[in-house]
Amino acid sequence: MSPLRKRYRLASRRARREAGVPAMRGAHTRRGVLLAQALVLVLFATLTARMWYMQVPQADHYHELALASHTQKLIVPAVRGKILDSQGRPLVRNRTELTVTADFHTLLNQPDDGAAVLRRVAEVLDVPFAELRDRVRLCGPDTGRPCWPGSPYQPIPLAEDIDPRVALQIMERKTEFPGISAQQMAVRDYPNGDMAAQMLGYLQPITQEEFEAREELRVQFSGVDQVGRDGLEYVYDDRLRGTAGTRTLAVTSQGGVNGVVEETPAKPGMHLVTSIDQKVQRITEDALKAGVERARAEGRPTDSGAAVVLDVRTGNVIAMASLPTYDPSVWQGGIDQATYDQLLSEDAGEPLTSRALQGQYPPGSTFKVSSLSAAVRNGADLNGTYSCPGSVHLGNRSWQNFEGGGHGSVSLHKAIVVSCNTVFYQFGYDTWLQDGGTSPKDDPEEIMAETARGFGFGEPTGIDLPHESSGRIPDRQWKQQYWEDTREQSCRRAEKGYPEVAEEDPGHAAYLKRAAHEHCLDGNRWRAGDAINFAIGQGDVLVTPLQLARAYAAIANGGTLYEPRVARGFLSADGTRVEELEPVKAGTLPIDDRTLEYLQRALTQVPKEGTARGAFDGFPQDEVSIAGKTGTATMTGSEDSAWFASYAPADDPQFAVVAMLPEAGTGGVAAAPVVREIYEGIYGISGSTPGEGGDKGKPKIGEPAMPGAAPPEQLPRVRPDGTVAPPTDTGDSGDSAD
């Protein structure tokens, strides 16, 4: 240090001492160190807390983020549950098939919208290019079938049930087939062909609208999912579909798969156990087909029909047939336009329509059970005597008995047995007068209509199937509304007539023009003819075969109306869960016990000495007594339609059976034989030939279609190996129902 600098430092110290300034350097240094240490501790604590927060509460979140760019999450579709009959036999099941599919967006991104790729695929599959091109089109208002009705984000099936060697050609040459893949896909299998098609329903791909509207589909959407479109597949879709699983794959940056990171298995859908008996369903369909064929052989124009078998004690559906029908497998892999048009075509009989629950027809004399009940409620004497002439003059016109025959003085019992129309004409006319005729009271009782609604007519039964019709029970209020809705059209027809009808039938065209003129003027009036026709199930009265079967089931069981059910319960795929559905009571018939018993006795005699005697001649009624009622419905411009509604055994009712054949003739000739064949199958009756009678060809009671000739009280069960055992099987071995 220089002498000058040394002297300067000494002088500075002396000056500070003289001024009284303390030497603080050491204290300041210690305080700075303490502050620095505190700051370091705070920063370390903050860092430690942040690290704990990231590693403990947020561990899963950051784990997912870390994996996001190195994993691929897949939705694994669940196996759809089977649809089984009451014995556990499959009505709908699953099978897998190798399917070639196309990715819509990958094809769309090709320079030629994927045309070259599809041509190469068509060559490998040996199918026309045009067929594949049509399949990948998205369905729309202006797009004919085949087209793709599902979401554009789903794989679009190009060909099903492909030979593995063909699929291998595509998979080994991926660069030539961008967007094309081959995979095993589960498809619905219908082991019984077209049997019960309208009840079972079908599957179709999820549409983009459904995908956006239904949250449960967005969560579980696998890319190959389908949903129920009709029948049981639609109603119980959520239970049958199960719960999709997830699989997270570890992938390389080049897209290779290194393994499975984690997996949540899919839960299979529940098996739906129905009350349908597969054998009785087949018997019912065969009997209905035979009835239509007989009617056509006699020159009748019928080409359709319906039949229903109910368990009267629960309302469960044992069988339900509708003609014409179709094979539901036509929906698989897309449907062509010609087939689709045929399913909707009137010329083909609209086979998608179930005539059992959607067809609406005048019930004819089968409706008299309601009209008789209404008459008794209105004061008619059950023990009285009534005139049954060949015709009566009521409301300024003559009303004829069927085929003009009369029976003199009869009881109400005989009026049912021989189906005397003129007795019921009078009942309808009397109740009309009591309500004020064409100048009704302020609050007319409408006893006929009110009783009919109490029998379950005029509204859906509540069956667990979609698109059920309500039928129609007309009254004064309905007539007013109908007139308001149709008056303008009727007035135009009253002026212009029916030139399109006049070309073929001038007389009928003139009748229609007069009717239109009358309706235009005062079609809102409930006339005597409306009430008279109502009493015999004609005019504007419409019912479905299912409604009529339910009403007769209620007569049989003592008066309880049930909501018909097809589903009996659900079974999990492993058998650990069993859910049984209980019968649902919908109401009680609006008649007292005395009237109900009277009706039961009268109906029991119809197949023995009444209008169904010929159809049941030779049937072993001493073994199985049938109760029922024929009906012959007439509609303007059509031939007679045939009904037979029944239940059996009459002394201990178990089944209600109804058959209906439009334009097939009379109920006793066309419909009752169909019902007879159904009972013969249910009870295993053989050698029963109409017209024999006596000991000649005496029928035999053999093996019934159902064990014990009664619906099972228990559900089937799933064995440990996954097969389904019938309710009567108590062991783990033996034949499988499935």
Side-chain angles (χ1 to χ4, degrees), residues 484-518:
E484 293 174 3
D485 293 341
T486 60
R487 183 186 181 190
E488 184 177 343
Q489 179 181 355
S490 295
C491 292
R492 284 200 303 268
R493 284 295 191 177
E495 180 179 350
K496 297 182 178 179
Y498 292 80
E500 70 277 12
V501 178
E503 293 180 4
E504 297 184 2
D505 190 343
H508 185 53
Y511 164 78
L512 291 175
K513 185 175 181 179
R514 288 194 303 271
H517 178 73
E518 180 180 319

Tab-separated table of all heavy atoms in Angstrom, residues 484-518:
chain	number	residue	atom	x	y	z
A	484	GLU	N	-114.557	-31.491	-37.841
A	484	GLU	CA	-113.802	-30.254	-37.981
A	484	GLU	C	-112.505	-30.489	-38.760
A	484	GLU	O	-112.077	-29.632	-39.541
A	484	GLU	CB	-113.487	-29.667	-36.601
A	484	GLU	CG	-114.726	-29.174	-35.856
A	484	GLU	CD	-114.415	-28.726	-34.439
A	484	GLU	OE1	-113.209	-28.745	-34.059
A	484	GLU	OE2	-115.345	-28.373	-33.700
A	485	ASP	N	-111.909	-31.649	-38.554
A	485	ASP	CA	-110.640	-31.945	-39.214
A	485	ASP	C	-110.801	-32.301	-40.687
A	485	ASP	O	-109.873	-32.089	-41.480
A	485	ASP	CB	-109.928	-33.106	-38.501
A	485	ASP	CG	-109.476	-32.729	-37.107
A	485	ASP	OD1	-109.371	-31.527	-36.816
A	485	ASP	OD2	-109.244	-33.653	-36.297
A	486	THR	N	-111.959	-32.830	-41.062
A	486	THR	CA	-112.120	-33.371	-42.419
A	486	THR	C	-113.199	-32.665	-43.244
A	486	THR	O	-113.419	-33.035	-44.398
A	486	THR	CB	-112.477	-34.869	-42.349
A	486	THR	OG1	-113.717	-35.028	-41.616
A	486	THR	CG2	-111.381	-35.654	-41.638
A	487	ARG	N	-113.862	-31.682	-42.687
A	487	ARG	CA	-114.995	-31.067	-43.380
A	487	ARG	C	-114.588	-30.440	-44.709
A	487	ARG	O	-115.266	-30.616	-45.735
A	487	ARG	CB	-115.642	-29.998	-42.490
A	487	ARG	CG	-116.873	-29.373	-43.132
A	487	ARG	CD	-117.412	-28.233	-42.311
A	487	ARG	NE	-118.596	-27.664	-42.915
A	487	ARG	CZ	-119.176	-26.536	-42.517
A	487	ARG	NH1	-118.678	-25.859	-41.495
A	487	ARG	NH2	-120.255	-26.075	-43.124
A	488	GLU	N	-113.484	-29.727	-44.720
A	488	GLU	CA	-113.065	-29.045	-45.945
A	488	GLU	C	-112.842	-30.039	-47.080
A	488	GLU	O	-113.286	-29.817	-48.219
A	488	GLU	CB	-111.781	-28.255	-45.668
A	488	GLU	CG	-111.308	-27.428	-46.861
A	488	GLU	CD	-110.082	-26.601	-46.536
A	488	GLU	OE1	-109.791	-26.420	-45.327
A	488	GLU	OE2	-109.411	-26.160	-47.483
A	489	GLN	N	-112.185	-31.128	-46.775
A	489	GLN	CA	-111.935	-32.138	-47.796
A	489	GLN	C	-113.240	-32.780	-48.258
A	489	GLN	O	-113.434	-33.026	-49.462
A	489	GLN	CB	-110.993	-33.208	-47.237
A	489	GLN	CG	-110.692	-34.328	-48.221
A	489	GLN	CD	-109.784	-35.380	-47.609
A	489	GLN	OE1	-109.308	-35.230	-46.496
A	489	GLN	NE2	-109.561	-36.455	-48.346
A	490	SER	N	-114.154	-33.054	-47.313
A	490	SER	CA	-115.435	-33.666	-47.681
A	490	SER	C	-116.254	-32.750	-48.582
A	490	SER	O	-116.907	-33.215	-49.527
A	490	SER	CB	-116.234	-34.001	-46.412
A	490	SER	OG	-115.576	-34.976	-45.647
A	491	CYS	N	-116.214	-31.471	-48.303
A	491	CYS	CA	-116.977	-30.532	-49.134
A	491	CYS	C	-116.423	-30.481	-50.561
A	491	CYS	O	-117.193	-30.363	-51.531
A	491	CYS	CB	-116.964	-29.139	-48.503
A	491	CYS	SG	-117.889	-29.035	-46.939
A	492	ARG	N	-115.097	-30.568	-50.694
A	492	ARG	CA	-114.510	-30.602	-52.040
A	492	ARG	C	-114.944	-31.865	-52.767
A	492	ARG	O	-115.289	-31.823	-53.959
A	492	ARG	CB	-112.980	-30.550	-51.949
A	492	ARG	CG	-112.418	-29.180	-51.629
A	492	ARG	CD	-110.937	-29.096	-52.030
A	492	ARG	NE	-110.150	-30.121	-51.371
A	492	ARG	CZ	-109.528	-29.960	-50.210
A	492	ARG	NH1	-109.622	-28.797	-49.578
A	492	ARG	NH2	-108.818	-30.941	-49.688
A	493	ARG	N	-114.925	-33.003	-52.058
A	493	ARG	CA	-115.344	-34.256	-52.682
A	493	ARG	C	-116.835	-34.244	-53.005
A	493	ARG	O	-117.269	-34.833	-54.011
A	493	ARG	CB	-115.019	-35.420	-51.747
A	493	ARG	CG	-113.550	-35.794	-51.705
A	493	ARG	CD	-113.088	-36.331	-53.049
A	493	ARG	NE	-111.766	-36.937	-52.985
A	493	ARG	CZ	-111.166	-37.524	-54.006
A	493	ARG	NH1	-111.753	-37.558	-55.199
A	493	ARG	NH2	-109.970	-38.064	-53.870
A	494	ALA	N	-117.625	-33.602	-52.172
A	494	ALA	CA	-119.062	-33.521	-52.444
A	494	ALA	C	-119.327	-32.774	-53.742
A	494	ALA	O	-120.307	-33.046	-54.452
A	494	ALA	CB	-119.767	-32.830	-51.278
A	495	GLU	N	-118.440	-31.841	-54.078
A	495	GLU	CA	-118.604	-31.074	-55.307
A	495	GLU	C	-117.976	-31.784	-56.510
A	495	GLU	O	-118.599	-31.879	-57.580
A	495	GLU	CB	-117.951	-29.698	-55.136
A	495	GLU	CG	-118.075	-28.811	-56.364
A	495	GLU	CD	-117.431	-27.452	-56.159
A	495	GLU	OE1	-117.065	-27.143	-54.999
A	495	GLU	OE2	-117.288	-26.714	-57.156
A	496	LYS	N	-116.768	-32.316	-56.332
A	496	LYS	CA	-116.039	-32.898	-57.467
A	496	LYS	C	-116.263	-34.395	-57.613
A	496	LYS	O	-116.023	-34.956	-58.690
A	496	LYS	CB	-114.545	-32.616	-57.309
A	496	LYS	CG	-114.208	-31.135	-57.344
A	496	LYS	CD	-112.696	-30.920	-57.238
A	496	LYS	CE	-112.353	-29.443	-57.315
A	496	LYS	NZ	-110.887	-29.212	-57.201
A	497	GLY	N	-116.686	-35.065	-56.554
A	497	GLY	CA	-116.890	-36.499	-56.622
A	497	GLY	C	-115.592	-37.282	-56.567
A	497	GLY	O	-114.552	-36.786	-56.142
A	498	TYR	N	-115.647	-38.523	-57.069
A	498	TYR	CA	-114.500	-39.441	-57.033
A	498	TYR	C	-114.267	-39.999	-58.439
A	498	TYR	O	-114.548	-41.162	-58.719
A	498	TYR	CB	-114.771	-40.583	-56.056
A	498	TYR	CG	-114.812	-40.148	-54.614
A	498	TYR	CD1	-115.954	-39.553	-54.074
A	498	TYR	CD2	-113.710	-40.327	-53.780
A	498	TYR	CE1	-115.996	-39.145	-52.747
A	498	TYR	CE2	-113.742	-39.922	-52.448
A	498	TYR	CZ	-114.883	-39.333	-51.941
A	498	TYR	OH	-114.919	-38.930	-50.631
A	499	PRO	N	-113.759	-39.162	-59.338
A	499	PRO	CA	-113.572	-39.626	-60.723
A	499	PRO	C	-112.608	-40.808	-60.824
A	499	PRO	O	-112.752	-41.653	-61.705
A	499	PRO	CB	-113.011	-38.390	-61.439
A	499	PRO	CG	-112.466	-37.514	-60.342
A	499	PRO	CD	-113.349	-37.760	-59.168
A	500	GLU	N	-111.620	-40.892	-59.919
A	500	GLU	CA	-110.663	-41.997	-59.987
A	500	GLU	C	-111.319	-43.331	-59.638
A	500	GLU	O	-110.886	-44.386	-60.106
A	500	GLU	CB	-109.467	-41.732	-59.060
A	500	GLU	CG	-109.760	-41.798	-57.569
A	500	GLU	CD	-110.345	-40.514	-57.006
A	500	GLU	OE1	-110.743	-39.634	-57.800
A	500	GLU	OE2	-110.409	-40.395	-55.772
A	501	VAL	N	-112.400	-43.279	-58.815
A	501	VAL	CA	-113.120	-44.500	-58.460
A	501	VAL	C	-114.166	-44.816	-59.525
A	501	VAL	O	-114.436	-45.983	-59.828
A	501	VAL	CB	-113.792	-44.352	-57.081
A	501	VAL	CG1	-114.586	-45.610	-56.721
A	501	VAL	CG2	-112.735	-44.064	-56.010
A	502	ALA	N	-114.753	-43.770	-60.101
A	502	ALA	CA	-115.836	-43.952	-61.073
A	502	ALA	C	-115.390	-44.743	-62.296
A	502	ALA	O	-116.209	-45.417	-62.943
A	502	ALA	CB	-116.382	-42.591	-61.506
A	503	GLU	N	-114.105	-44.687	-62.640
A	503	GLU	CA	-113.622	-45.418	-63.809
A	503	GLU	C	-113.814	-46.923	-63.647
A	503	GLU	O	-114.079	-47.625	-64.623
A	503	GLU	CB	-112.137	-45.112	-64.033
A	503	GLU	CG	-111.874	-43.662	-64.428
A	503	GLU	CD	-110.393	-43.406	-64.627
A	503	GLU	OE1	-109.605	-44.382	-64.522
A	503	GLU	OE2	-110.008	-42.247	-64.890
A	504	GLU	N	-113.672	-47.424	-62.416
A	504	GLU	CA	-113.799	-48.866	-62.180
A	504	GLU	C	-115.137	-49.248	-61.559
A	504	GLU	O	-115.635	-50.346	-61.790
A	504	GLU	CB	-112.658	-49.342	-61.272
A	504	GLU	CG	-111.269	-49.174	-61.888
A	504	GLU	CD	-110.181	-49.736	-60.994
A	504	GLU	OE1	-110.524	-50.285	-59.921
A	504	GLU	OE2	-108.999	-49.631	-61.359
A	505	ASP	N	-115.707	-48.348	-60.720
A	505	ASP	CA	-116.945	-48.695	-60.014
A	505	ASP	C	-117.813	-47.443	-59.880
A	505	ASP	O	-117.779	-46.752	-58.859
A	505	ASP	CB	-116.615	-49.274	-58.635
A	505	ASP	CG	-117.827	-49.889	-57.949
A	505	ASP	OD1	-118.966	-49.601	-58.373
A	505	ASP	OD2	-117.624	-50.654	-56.975
A	506	PRO	N	-118.610	-47.128	-60.886
A	506	PRO	CA	-119.438	-45.912	-60.842
A	506	PRO	C	-120.404	-45.888	-59.657
A	506	PRO	O	-120.635	-44.835	-59.054
A	506	PRO	CB	-120.198	-45.952	-62.175
A	506	PRO	CG	-119.359	-46.819	-63.055
A	506	PRO	CD	-118.741	-47.839	-62.163
A	507	GLY	N	-120.955	-47.056	-59.319
A	507	GLY	CA	-121.902	-47.114	-58.205
A	507	GLY	C	-121.250	-46.748	-56.882
A	507	GLY	O	-121.825	-45.999	-56.080
A	508	HIS	N	-120.055	-47.278	-56.662
A	508	HIS	CA	-119.352	-46.974	-55.420
A	508	HIS	C	-118.930	-45.509	-55.385
A	508	HIS	O	-118.986	-44.859	-54.330
A	508	HIS	CB	-118.119	-47.880	-55.282
A	508	HIS	CG	-117.391	-47.717	-53.985
A	508	HIS	ND1	-118.022	-47.821	-52.752
A	508	HIS	CD2	-116.073	-47.465	-53.715
A	508	HIS	CE1	-117.136	-47.640	-51.783
A	508	HIS	NE2	-115.948	-47.416	-52.342
A	509	ALA	N	-118.559	-44.968	-56.541
A	509	ALA	CA	-118.178	-43.556	-56.604
A	509	ALA	C	-119.365	-42.663	-56.251
A	509	ALA	O	-119.210	-41.651	-55.547
A	509	ALA	CB	-117.646	-43.213	-57.994
A	510	ALA	N	-120.565	-43.045	-56.714
A	510	ALA	CA	-121.763	-42.262	-56.398
A	510	ALA	C	-122.066	-42.322	-54.905
A	510	ALA	O	-122.449	-41.320	-54.280
A	510	ALA	CB	-122.944	-42.782	-57.204
A	511	TYR	N	-121.884	-43.514	-54.314
A	511	TYR	CA	-122.102	-43.666	-52.868
A	511	TYR	C	-121.135	-42.773	-52.088
A	511	TYR	O	-121.536	-42.079	-51.134
A	511	TYR	CB	-121.926	-45.124	-52.463
A	511	TYR	CG	-121.761	-45.313	-50.966
A	511	TYR	CD1	-122.858	-45.270	-50.113
A	511	TYR	CD2	-120.489	-45.511	-50.414
A	511	TYR	CE1	-122.699	-45.418	-48.743
A	511	TYR	CE2	-120.321	-45.664	-49.046
A	511	TYR	CZ	-121.426	-45.619	-48.209
A	511	TYR	OH	-121.270	-45.758	-46.857
A	512	LEU	N	-119.877	-42.766	-52.480
A	512	LEU	CA	-118.879	-41.959	-51.782
A	512	LEU	C	-119.195	-40.469	-51.886
A	512	LEU	O	-119.009	-39.714	-50.929
A	512	LEU	CB	-117.489	-42.238	-52.352
A	512	LEU	CG	-116.898	-43.627	-52.081
A	512	LEU	CD1	-115.566	-43.780	-52.814
A	512	LEU	CD2	-116.711	-43.864	-50.584
A	513	LYS	N	-119.710	-40.051	-53.054
A	513	LYS	CA	-120.043	-38.641	-53.218
A	513	LYS	C	-121.208	-38.248	-52.319
A	513	LYS	O	-121.203	-37.166	-51.704
A	513	LYS	CB	-120.375	-38.355	-54.685
A	513	LYS	CG	-120.620	-36.874	-54.962
A	513	LYS	CD	-120.835	-36.607	-56.447
A	513	LYS	CE	-121.038	-35.116	-56.674
A	513	LYS	NZ	-121.232	-34.796	-58.112
A	514	ARG	N	-122.222	-39.121	-52.203
A	514	ARG	CA	-123.353	-38.831	-51.309
A	514	ARG	C	-122.887	-38.765	-49.860
A	514	ARG	O	-123.308	-37.890	-49.092
A	514	ARG	CB	-124.434	-39.910	-51.458
A	514	ARG	CG	-125.210	-39.855	-52.765
A	514	ARG	CD	-126.470	-40.713	-52.690
A	514	ARG	NE	-126.175	-42.104	-52.356
A	514	ARG	CZ	-125.900	-43.052	-53.260
A	514	ARG	NH1	-125.863	-42.732	-54.555
A	514	ARG	NH2	-125.663	-44.289	-52.884
A	515	ALA	N	-122.005	-39.692	-49.477
A	515	ALA	CA	-121.497	-39.697	-48.107
A	515	ALA	C	-120.692	-38.430	-47.826
A	515	ALA	O	-120.791	-37.851	-46.733
A	515	ALA	CB	-120.632	-40.936	-47.876
A	516	ALA	N	-119.924	-37.975	-48.810
A	516	ALA	CA	-119.139	-36.755	-48.633
A	516	ALA	C	-120.054	-35.539	-48.485
A	516	ALA	O	-119.795	-34.639	-47.672
A	516	ALA	CB	-118.193	-36.561	-49.814
A	517	HIS	N	-121.153	-35.518	-49.258
A	517	HIS	CA	-122.111	-34.414	-49.168
A	517	HIS	C	-122.767	-34.377	-47.788
A	517	HIS	O	-122.880	-33.307	-47.163
A	517	HIS	CB	-123.174	-34.568	-50.255
A	517	HIS	CG	-124.228	-33.501	-50.203
A	517	HIS	ND1	-123.985	-32.201	-50.585
A	517	HIS	CD2	-125.537	-33.557	-49.806
A	517	HIS	CE1	-125.085	-31.491	-50.432
A	517	HIS	NE2	-126.042	-32.292	-49.963
A	518	GLU	N	-123.149	-35.541	-47.292
A	518	GLU	CA	-123.774	-35.618	-45.965
A	518	GLU	C	-122.801	-35.180	-44.882
A	518	GLU	O	-123.162	-34.435	-43.972
A	518	GLU	CB	-124.243	-37.057	-45.703
A	518	GLU	CG	-124.908	-37.244	-44.350
A	518	GLU	CD	-125.360	-38.678	-44.139
A	518	GLU	OE1	-125.878	-39.289	-45.093
A	518	GLU	OE2	-125.161	-39.185	-43.012
